[in-house]
Amino acid sequence: MGVASLVLGIIAIVLGLFTAGTLGWAGAIIGIVGIILGAIAKKNNPGGMATAGLVCSIIGTILCLLFYIACVALVGGLASIA
């Protein structure tokens, strides 16, 4: 489960950085699943892979949500000008 958490965390980071907010909700969901898997793996077998997966998933979730909120705010700001 630690490996799955790490993979999902990396995917969430990539989605957060390269989709620029358009798929932020998908990256956030993937990151949350990675956080859950990382927490379970860390509880069952504490080790480096579970910790790395947990950290990557947390960072990916925060990045996705942050960029998604920024994108929505930008679109809202542009709509108020027109």
Side-chain angles (χ1 to χ4, degrees):
M1 275 197 257
V3 175
S5 173
L6 183 62
V7 168
L8 290 175
I10 291 171
I11 291 171
I13 290 172
V14 169
L15 282 176
L17 289 177
F18 293 121
T19 59
T22 55
L23 288 176
W25 54 271
I29 292 171
I30 290 171
I32 290 170
V33 172
I35 290 171
I36 293 169
L37 289 176
I40 292 171
K42 191 167 171 82
K43 187 171 102 175
N44 291 340
N45 188 9
M49 193 69 71
T51 304
L54 191 61
V55 169
C56 281
S57 295
I58 291 170
I59 291 172
T61 303
I62 291 171
L63 226 78
C64 286
L65 290 176
L66 184 69
F67 284 148
Y68 185 72
I69 291 169
C71 185
V72 168
L74 181 70
V75 169
L78 288 175
S80 69
I81 293 173

